[in-house]
Short mmCIF file of all heavy atoms in Angstrom, two decimals:
data_model
loop_
_atom_site.label_atom_id
_atom_site.label_comp_id
_atom_site.label_asym_id
_atom_site.label_seq_id
_atom_site.Cartn_x
_atom_site.Cartn_y
_atom_site.Cartn_z
N MET A 1 8.50 1.71 -14.38
CA MET A 1 7.58 1.60 -13.24
C MET A 1 8.46 1.83 -11.93
O MET A 1 7.96 2.63 -10.97
CB MET A 1 6.71 0.34 -13.11
CG MET A 1 5.71 0.25 -14.24
SD MET A 1 4.37 1.44 -14.04
CE MET A 1 3.38 0.67 -12.83
N VAL A 2 9.50 1.19 -11.88
CA VAL A 2 10.30 1.19 -10.61
C VAL A 2 10.82 2.67 -10.43
O VAL A 2 10.75 3.27 -9.31
CB VAL A 2 11.57 0.22 -10.68
CG1 VAL A 2 12.51 0.52 -9.55
CG2 VAL A 2 11.03 -1.14 -10.77
N LYS A 3 11.26 3.18 -11.44
CA LYS A 3 11.80 4.67 -11.46
C LYS A 3 10.68 5.62 -11.07
O LYS A 3 10.92 6.48 -10.37
CB LYS A 3 12.44 5.07 -12.84
CG LYS A 3 13.75 4.34 -13.07
CD LYS A 3 14.43 4.65 -14.35
CE LYS A 3 15.69 3.94 -14.58
NZ LYS A 3 16.28 4.33 -15.84
N TYR A 4 9.56 5.42 -11.72
CA TYR A 4 8.38 6.32 -11.66
C TYR A 4 7.95 6.36 -10.21
O TYR A 4 7.74 7.45 -9.62
CB TYR A 4 7.23 5.92 -12.59
CG TYR A 4 6.08 6.82 -12.67
CD1 TYR A 4 6.13 8.09 -13.15
CD2 TYR A 4 4.91 6.51 -12.06
CE1 TYR A 4 5.11 8.88 -13.33
CE2 TYR A 4 3.69 7.19 -12.08
CZ TYR A 4 3.89 8.40 -12.79
OH TYR A 4 2.72 9.27 -12.77
N PHE A 5 7.89 5.28 -9.58
CA PHE A 5 7.31 5.21 -8.20
C PHE A 5 8.45 5.35 -7.14
O PHE A 5 8.12 6.00 -6.13
CB PHE A 5 6.61 3.82 -8.02
CG PHE A 5 5.24 3.94 -8.52
CD1 PHE A 5 4.94 3.47 -9.82
CD2 PHE A 5 4.21 4.38 -7.82
CE1 PHE A 5 3.70 3.54 -10.38
CE2 PHE A 5 2.93 4.51 -8.36
CZ PHE A 5 2.61 4.11 -9.62
N LEU A 6 9.59 4.79 -7.28
CA LEU A 6 10.65 5.01 -6.30
C LEU A 6 11.22 6.38 -6.27
O LEU A 6 11.62 6.82 -5.15
CB LEU A 6 11.83 3.98 -6.38
CG LEU A 6 11.50 2.52 -6.23
CD1 LEU A 6 12.59 1.64 -6.21
CD2 LEU A 6 10.80 2.36 -4.90
N LEU A 7 11.21 7.10 -7.32
CA LEU A 7 11.64 8.46 -7.31
C LEU A 7 10.36 9.40 -6.95
O LEU A 7 10.67 10.63 -7.09
CB LEU A 7 12.12 8.77 -8.76
CG LEU A 7 13.50 8.06 -9.13
CD1 LEU A 7 13.98 8.43 -10.53
CD2 LEU A 7 14.56 8.45 -8.13
N GLU A 8 9.23 8.81 -6.68
CA GLU A 8 7.97 9.51 -6.31
C GLU A 8 7.52 10.55 -7.34
O GLU A 8 6.87 11.54 -7.03
CB GLU A 8 8.30 10.18 -4.96
CG GLU A 8 8.55 9.17 -3.90
CD GLU A 8 8.68 9.69 -2.52
OE1 GLU A 8 8.76 10.92 -2.43
OE2 GLU A 8 8.63 8.94 -1.50
N VAL A 9 7.78 10.31 -8.63
CA VAL A 9 7.27 11.19 -9.68
C VAL A 9 5.73 11.01 -9.79
O VAL A 9 5.01 12.06 -9.99
CB VAL A 9 7.92 10.75 -11.09
CG1 VAL A 9 7.33 11.55 -12.19
CG2 VAL A 9 9.41 10.87 -10.99
N TYR A 10 5.21 9.91 -9.33
CA TYR A 10 3.73 9.64 -9.47
C TYR A 10 3.02 10.62 -8.63
O TYR A 10 1.83 10.94 -8.98
CB TYR A 10 3.51 8.20 -9.09
CG TYR A 10 3.57 7.95 -7.52
CD1 TYR A 10 2.33 8.10 -6.79
CD2 TYR A 10 4.72 7.67 -7.01
CE1 TYR A 10 2.48 7.85 -5.43
CE2 TYR A 10 4.81 7.48 -5.62
CZ TYR A 10 3.60 7.54 -4.94
OH TYR A 10 3.78 7.22 -3.53
N GLN A 11 3.52 11.17 -7.58
CA GLN A 11 2.85 12.10 -6.73
C GLN A 11 2.44 13.30 -7.43
O GLN A 11 1.51 14.05 -7.09
CB GLN A 11 3.68 12.32 -5.49
CG GLN A 11 3.76 11.23 -4.68
CD GLN A 11 4.42 11.36 -3.26
OE1 GLN A 11 4.87 12.44 -2.97
NE2 GLN A 11 4.53 10.36 -2.37
N TYR A 12 3.16 13.76 -8.45
CA TYR A 12 2.83 14.94 -9.27
C TYR A 12 1.69 14.64 -10.20
O TYR A 12 1.17 15.65 -10.67
CB TYR A 12 4.11 15.51 -9.99
CG TYR A 12 5.19 15.88 -9.03
CD1 TYR A 12 6.39 15.04 -8.95
CD2 TYR A 12 5.18 17.09 -8.28
CE1 TYR A 12 7.32 15.44 -8.06
CE2 TYR A 12 6.14 17.37 -7.42
CZ TYR A 12 7.32 16.55 -7.34
OH TYR A 12 8.24 16.96 -6.51
N HIS A 13 1.34 13.35 -10.41
CA HIS A 13 0.28 13.04 -11.44
C HIS A 13 -0.95 12.45 -10.80
O HIS A 13 -1.81 11.97 -11.43
CB HIS A 13 0.89 12.02 -12.35
CG HIS A 13 1.99 12.58 -13.11
ND1 HIS A 13 3.21 11.95 -13.28
CD2 HIS A 13 2.27 13.76 -13.86
CE1 HIS A 13 4.10 12.57 -13.91
NE2 HIS A 13 3.56 13.70 -14.31
N LEU A 14 -1.03 12.62 -9.50
CA LEU A 14 -2.19 12.04 -8.78
C LEU A 14 -3.44 12.82 -9.09
O LEU A 14 -3.41 13.99 -9.12
CB LEU A 14 -1.98 12.07 -7.26
CG LEU A 14 -1.06 11.11 -6.75
CD1 LEU A 14 -0.86 11.19 -5.20
CD2 LEU A 14 -1.38 9.59 -7.01
N ASN A 15 -4.55 12.10 -9.40
CA ASN A 15 -5.81 12.85 -9.57
C ASN A 15 -6.68 12.62 -8.29
O ASN A 15 -7.39 11.61 -8.20
CB ASN A 15 -6.56 12.27 -10.82
CG ASN A 15 -7.82 12.99 -11.19
OD1 ASN A 15 -8.36 13.83 -10.41
ND2 ASN A 15 -8.54 12.71 -12.27
N THR A 16 -6.67 13.55 -7.47
CA THR A 16 -7.40 13.48 -6.13
C THR A 16 -8.92 13.88 -6.33
O THR A 16 -9.64 13.69 -5.36
CB THR A 16 -6.74 14.15 -5.05
OG1 THR A 16 -6.66 15.54 -5.52
CG2 THR A 16 -5.30 13.57 -4.78
N GLN A 17 -9.18 14.32 -7.52
CA GLN A 17 -10.67 14.90 -7.66
C GLN A 17 -11.42 13.88 -8.50
O GLN A 17 -12.59 14.21 -8.80
CB GLN A 17 -10.54 16.22 -8.37
CG GLN A 17 -9.68 17.28 -7.68
CD GLN A 17 -10.08 17.62 -6.31
OE1 GLN A 17 -11.23 17.71 -5.95
NE2 GLN A 17 -9.04 17.65 -5.35
N SER A 18 -10.80 12.79 -8.91
CA SER A 18 -11.55 11.85 -9.72
C SER A 18 -12.93 11.38 -9.11
O SER A 18 -12.98 10.99 -8.00
CB SER A 18 -10.76 10.59 -10.03
OG SER A 18 -11.41 9.69 -10.77
N THR A 19 -13.90 11.35 -9.85
CA THR A 19 -15.29 10.98 -9.51
C THR A 19 -15.33 9.46 -9.59
O THR A 19 -15.98 8.78 -8.74
CB THR A 19 -16.40 11.59 -10.35
OG1 THR A 19 -16.16 13.07 -10.27
CG2 THR A 19 -17.73 11.26 -9.77
N PHE A 20 -14.74 8.98 -10.62
CA PHE A 20 -14.90 7.48 -10.86
C PHE A 20 -13.79 6.69 -10.41
O PHE A 20 -13.80 5.41 -10.17
CB PHE A 20 -14.91 7.20 -12.37
CG PHE A 20 -16.12 7.96 -13.05
CD1 PHE A 20 -15.80 9.19 -13.90
CD2 PHE A 20 -17.34 7.61 -12.76
CE1 PHE A 20 -16.90 9.77 -14.43
CE2 PHE A 20 -18.43 8.24 -13.45
CZ PHE A 20 -18.17 9.43 -14.19
N GLY A 21 -12.61 7.17 -10.07
CA GLY A 21 -11.45 6.45 -9.67
C GLY A 21 -11.33 6.37 -8.11
O GLY A 21 -12.31 6.42 -7.41
N CYS A 22 -10.11 6.15 -7.65
CA CYS A 22 -9.83 5.91 -6.16
C CYS A 22 -9.32 7.17 -5.57
O CYS A 22 -8.72 7.19 -4.44
CB CYS A 22 -8.96 4.81 -5.99
SG CYS A 22 -9.56 3.19 -6.52
N LYS A 23 -9.32 8.25 -6.28
CA LYS A 23 -8.80 9.60 -5.74
C LYS A 23 -7.33 9.52 -5.52
O LYS A 23 -6.86 10.10 -4.55
CB LYS A 23 -9.64 10.14 -4.62
CG LYS A 23 -11.06 10.26 -4.97
CD LYS A 23 -11.79 11.09 -3.96
CE LYS A 23 -13.24 11.08 -4.17
NZ LYS A 23 -13.66 11.76 -5.33
N GLY A 24 -6.56 8.79 -6.20
CA GLY A 24 -5.11 8.59 -6.04
C GLY A 24 -4.79 7.57 -5.16
O GLY A 24 -3.46 7.34 -4.95
N ARG A 25 -5.60 7.04 -4.35
CA ARG A 25 -5.25 5.95 -3.27
C ARG A 25 -4.57 4.77 -3.84
O ARG A 25 -3.64 4.25 -3.12
CB ARG A 25 -6.46 5.55 -2.52
CG ARG A 25 -7.03 6.64 -1.68
CD ARG A 25 -8.10 6.20 -0.72
NE ARG A 25 -9.10 5.42 -1.27
CZ ARG A 25 -10.26 5.69 -1.72
NH1 ARG A 25 -10.79 6.98 -1.36
NH2 ARG A 25 -11.23 4.90 -2.27
N MET A 26 -4.90 4.26 -5.15
CA MET A 26 -4.36 3.17 -5.66
C MET A 26 -2.85 3.41 -5.98
O MET A 26 -2.02 2.61 -5.68
CB MET A 26 -5.09 2.74 -6.88
CG MET A 26 -4.55 1.39 -7.43
SD MET A 26 -4.66 -0.01 -6.46
CE MET A 26 -6.46 -0.44 -6.58
N ALA A 27 -2.58 4.57 -6.53
CA ALA A 27 -1.24 4.84 -6.84
C ALA A 27 -0.39 5.09 -5.54
O ALA A 27 0.75 4.54 -5.51
CB ALA A 27 -1.07 6.21 -7.62
N VAL A 28 -0.91 5.66 -4.54
CA VAL A 28 -0.23 5.86 -3.30
C VAL A 28 0.03 4.45 -2.65
O VAL A 28 1.16 4.14 -2.17
CB VAL A 28 -0.97 6.72 -2.28
CG1 VAL A 28 -0.34 6.63 -0.87
CG2 VAL A 28 -1.06 8.12 -2.83
N CYS A 29 -0.96 3.57 -2.72
CA CYS A 29 -0.75 2.15 -2.11
C CYS A 29 0.34 1.40 -2.91
O CYS A 29 1.21 0.67 -2.37
CB CYS A 29 -2.06 1.39 -2.20
SG CYS A 29 -3.22 1.98 -0.85
N PHE A 30 0.21 1.53 -4.26
CA PHE A 30 1.28 0.85 -5.17
C PHE A 30 2.65 1.44 -4.73
O PHE A 30 3.64 0.74 -4.79
CB PHE A 30 0.90 1.08 -6.53
CG PHE A 30 1.76 0.16 -7.43
CD1 PHE A 30 1.68 -1.11 -7.56
CD2 PHE A 30 2.77 0.83 -8.26
CE1 PHE A 30 2.52 -1.82 -8.36
CE2 PHE A 30 3.65 0.09 -9.03
CZ PHE A 30 3.40 -1.19 -9.08
N GLY A 31 2.71 2.74 -4.73
CA GLY A 31 3.97 3.29 -4.36
C GLY A 31 4.60 2.87 -3.11
O GLY A 31 5.71 2.62 -2.97
N ASP A 32 3.69 2.66 -2.13
CA ASP A 32 4.26 2.15 -0.83
C ASP A 32 4.60 0.70 -0.88
O ASP A 32 5.59 0.40 -0.27
CB ASP A 32 3.01 2.27 0.27
CG ASP A 32 2.64 3.65 0.57
OD1 ASP A 32 3.40 4.66 0.41
OD2 ASP A 32 1.55 3.88 1.18
N LEU A 33 3.81 -0.03 -1.59
CA LEU A 33 4.22 -1.39 -1.89
C LEU A 33 5.65 -1.54 -2.62
O LEU A 33 6.54 -2.34 -2.30
CB LEU A 33 3.16 -2.12 -2.75
CG LEU A 33 3.60 -3.49 -3.26
CD1 LEU A 33 3.52 -4.50 -1.86
CD2 LEU A 33 2.54 -4.03 -4.20
N MET A 34 5.75 -0.65 -3.65
CA MET A 34 7.02 -0.66 -4.45
C MET A 34 8.20 -0.34 -3.46
O MET A 34 9.19 -0.95 -3.47
CB MET A 34 7.04 0.32 -5.51
CG MET A 34 8.23 0.36 -6.39
SD MET A 34 8.23 -0.81 -7.64
CE MET A 34 6.99 -0.16 -8.90
N TYR A 35 8.07 0.68 -2.58
CA TYR A 35 9.12 1.07 -1.66
C TYR A 35 9.42 -0.04 -0.75
O TYR A 35 10.58 -0.48 -0.56
CB TYR A 35 8.60 2.29 -0.89
CG TYR A 35 9.69 2.71 0.03
CD1 TYR A 35 10.86 3.50 -0.32
CD2 TYR A 35 9.70 2.38 1.43
CE1 TYR A 35 11.91 3.77 0.56
CE2 TYR A 35 10.60 2.73 2.37
CZ TYR A 35 11.75 3.26 1.86
OH TYR A 35 12.72 3.75 2.72
N ALA A 36 8.27 -0.76 -0.25
CA ALA A 36 8.58 -1.80 0.77
C ALA A 36 9.41 -3.03 0.05
O ALA A 36 10.24 -3.70 0.60
CB ALA A 36 7.21 -2.42 1.22
N LEU A 37 9.03 -3.32 -1.26
CA LEU A 37 9.63 -4.31 -2.00
C LEU A 37 11.19 -4.02 -2.23
O LEU A 37 11.99 -4.90 -2.18
CB LEU A 37 9.00 -4.62 -3.33
CG LEU A 37 7.57 -5.32 -3.21
CD1 LEU A 37 6.96 -5.39 -4.60
CD2 LEU A 37 7.66 -6.61 -2.57
N TYR A 38 11.46 -2.75 -2.51
CA TYR A 38 12.87 -2.34 -2.83
C TYR A 38 13.55 -1.89 -1.64
O TYR A 38 14.77 -1.68 -1.70
CB TYR A 38 12.88 -1.36 -3.95
CG TYR A 38 12.68 -1.94 -5.27
CD1 TYR A 38 11.45 -2.29 -5.80
CD2 TYR A 38 13.78 -2.40 -5.97
CE1 TYR A 38 11.35 -2.93 -7.06
CE2 TYR A 38 13.73 -2.96 -7.20
CZ TYR A 38 12.50 -3.33 -7.75
OH TYR A 38 12.28 -3.94 -8.96
N ALA A 39 12.99 -1.80 -0.40
CA ALA A 39 13.71 -1.32 0.73
C ALA A 39 14.69 -2.47 1.17
O ALA A 39 15.68 -2.18 1.90
CB ALA A 39 12.77 -1.04 1.86
N GLY A 40 14.32 -3.74 0.92
CA GLY A 40 15.17 -4.82 1.23
C GLY A 40 15.18 -5.12 2.67
O GLY A 40 16.18 -5.70 3.17
N LYS A 41 14.21 -4.86 3.49
CA LYS A 41 14.22 -5.06 4.83
C LYS A 41 13.35 -6.36 5.34
O LYS A 41 13.38 -6.79 6.42
CB LYS A 41 13.52 -3.84 5.64
CG LYS A 41 14.35 -2.67 5.47
CD LYS A 41 13.80 -1.53 6.08
CE LYS A 41 14.85 -0.24 5.96
NZ LYS A 41 14.27 0.96 6.57
N LYS A 42 12.50 -6.81 4.40
CA LYS A 42 11.72 -8.00 4.75
C LYS A 42 11.84 -9.03 3.55
O LYS A 42 12.16 -8.73 2.49
CB LYS A 42 10.22 -7.59 4.79
CG LYS A 42 9.97 -6.55 5.96
CD LYS A 42 8.55 -6.36 6.05
CE LYS A 42 8.30 -5.32 7.12
NZ LYS A 42 6.83 -4.96 7.21
N ARG A 43 11.57 -10.27 3.89
CA ARG A 43 11.48 -11.42 2.98
C ARG A 43 10.30 -11.28 2.08
O ARG A 43 10.30 -11.63 0.82
CB ARG A 43 11.54 -12.70 3.57
CG ARG A 43 12.74 -13.13 4.10
CD ARG A 43 12.68 -14.44 4.61
NE ARG A 43 14.01 -14.81 5.20
CZ ARG A 43 14.50 -16.04 5.25
NH1 ARG A 43 13.93 -16.96 4.64
NH2 ARG A 43 15.69 -16.18 5.73
N TYR A 44 9.13 -10.80 2.58
CA TYR A 44 7.88 -10.69 1.90
C TYR A 44 7.09 -9.58 2.39
O TYR A 44 7.23 -9.08 3.52
CB TYR A 44 7.12 -12.00 1.97
CG TYR A 44 6.71 -12.41 3.40
CD1 TYR A 44 5.36 -12.01 3.84
CD2 TYR A 44 7.48 -13.30 4.09
CE1 TYR A 44 5.19 -12.32 5.24
CE2 TYR A 44 7.19 -13.68 5.30
CZ TYR A 44 6.03 -13.13 5.91
OH TYR A 44 5.68 -13.56 7.18
N VAL A 45 6.09 -9.10 1.58
CA VAL A 45 5.21 -8.02 1.96
C VAL A 45 3.80 -8.34 1.64
O VAL A 45 3.54 -9.08 0.57
CB VAL A 45 5.54 -6.70 1.10
CG1 VAL A 45 4.65 -5.64 1.43
CG2 VAL A 45 7.00 -6.24 1.36
#
């Protein structure tokens, strides 16, 4: 998961047309969270 999100591979697999899902927003939010956790700039996020 760390590699998939920190290398931004997930962006190629986003389903922005999904009727039932979040249109890729959950993956983007999780990717942002993952980046914030591994950036090492804060104690907590």
Side-chain angles (χ1 to χ4, degrees):
M1 292 289 283
V2 173
K3 289 179 181 177
Y4 185 71
F5 281 92
L6 291 185
L7 297 175
E8 298 182 348
V9 175
Y10 75 96
Q11 291 187 357
Y12 297 105
H13 300 128
L14 291 177
N15 183 356
T16 58
Q17 307 301 317
S18 174
T19 306
F20 302 108
C22 297
K23 300 190 184 305
R25 291 189 312 254
M26 184 63 77
V28 171
C29 285
F30 185 77
D32 292 345
L33 175 68
M34 181 83 74
Y35 179 79
L37 290 173
Y38 278 86
K41 295 180 181 179
K42 298 180 181 179
R43 285 185 182 213
Y44 60 88
V45 176

